[in-house]
Amino acid sequence: MEYVILAVVIAVVAVGAIAGLVVSGRRRQQLPPKSQAPVITAPKTTPQEPQVGEEAAPPTEEPRRTVEEVPLPETAEAAEVVEAVEIEAPAEAAAAPEVEVPEPTAGRLVRLRSRLSRSQNSLGKGLLSLLSREHLDEDTWEEIEETLLTADVGVTPTQELVERLRTRVKVLGTRTPDELRALLREELVELVGKDADRTVRSTKHEEGPAVVLVVGVNGVGKTTTTGKLARVLVADGRKVVLGAADTFRAAAADQLQTWGERVGARTVRGPEGGDPASIAFDAVKEGIAEGADTVLIDTAGRLHTKTGLMDELGKVKRVVEKHGPVDEVLLVLDATTGQNGLIQARVFAEVVDITGIVLTKLDGTAKGGIVVAVQRELGVPVKLIGLGEGADDLAPFEPGAFVDALIGD
């Protein structure tokens, strides 16, 4: 029995010893080694965080420059700095464009006669060549008639001219080049119309400034012609106000205003798509207030097939007449359109009383005879012709100078 008790005691002691060894081993594994303690270092680019308590280090003072120690520039250098600042200041608003002085209109067509070279070769020189033939038989006279028709002189004027030429050549007998040139010149001047009044009525009267309406279809150069006409009037000593009543075409008012600024003429304009009659009314009102000689009103380029738009043109004229009479209604026609231009002329003449014609792009066509045809169609004279794209290429029409340009030297 004693042995059994002794064995139990020994077993209990052994188990306790083994358990103590296991617990001691586990504690040793959980404790970190002394060499693995973390090391905290401050970033090289940032200062160390401030410490508190006993670990706080005394603050260090860095050298600082005071206001008194900052060197100031010398007087001369300071002046240069001020000057530099003035140069870099924002630029002022753009100055108004310089007002141009247009060249005189007297004799302008003579100076521009070379622009009619195409019409000269087809009409003038063509007729002289045919009339210089030794025998003027029926075939030759048919060629003369065809030359006139090709130049858009028109059927009736052509027949009249051929008949007069046949009679005068028969009476003349011998035909030297000089005699033929003089004969042809005289007959063409008569055909063009030497006695018509081609003056643009632009002088101020008792009711106020002269009012000129400029009408025409799209694409004939109407707004440009209005601007060039302003230059013609300014060159002749007139004070001009422009009315931008073409509110249907984008930038038409800007274009007209640019023309006006170049010669010192004020432009009255309104919002795009606004009432053209209202703008025309205000333009005349402004012309009266400024004591202007002439008010030029640029109307919209209406297609002659659009009845509503043509009615609008009639409204513009009626509204303007509340201030006083409309002195001129100038119809702008493109000389290159030929007989189609005559159709346009007829429709416009039914809406407003056309008083004069402006033929543009006459330098780009051989159909110089359109001058005769359109005058016969409307019964009103051609007063101005456009002979180029330059600002001063709009010339008062002079029948003698025009015919001289067609015949050549």
Side-chain angles (χ1 to χ4, degrees), residues 311-332:
D311 291 342
E312 183 69 26
L313 177 59
K315 176 187 173 184
V316 170
K317 186 173 183 291
R318 291 192 302 271
V319 169
V320 168
E321 286 176 336
K322 293 181 179 180
H323 285 296
V326 173
D327 299 86
E328 290 275 7
V329 179
L330 297 178
L331 174 63
V332 181

Side-chain angles (χ1 to χ4, degrees), residues 56 67 76 120 150 160 166 234 270 284 295 351 388:
V67 174
Q120 178 189 106
T150 304
E160 293 176 3
R166 294 183 75 157
V234 169
V284 178
V295 177
V351 180

Side-chain angles (χ1 to χ4, degrees), residues 108-125:
R108 184 179 288 186
L109 182 54
V110 176
R111 296 193 297 272
L112 298 173
R113 61 183 298 176
S114 61
R115 309 289 178 85
L116 291 168
S117 58
R118 296 187 65 182
S119 292
Q120 178 189 106
N121 292 332
S122 64
L123 181 57
K125 291 185 176 180

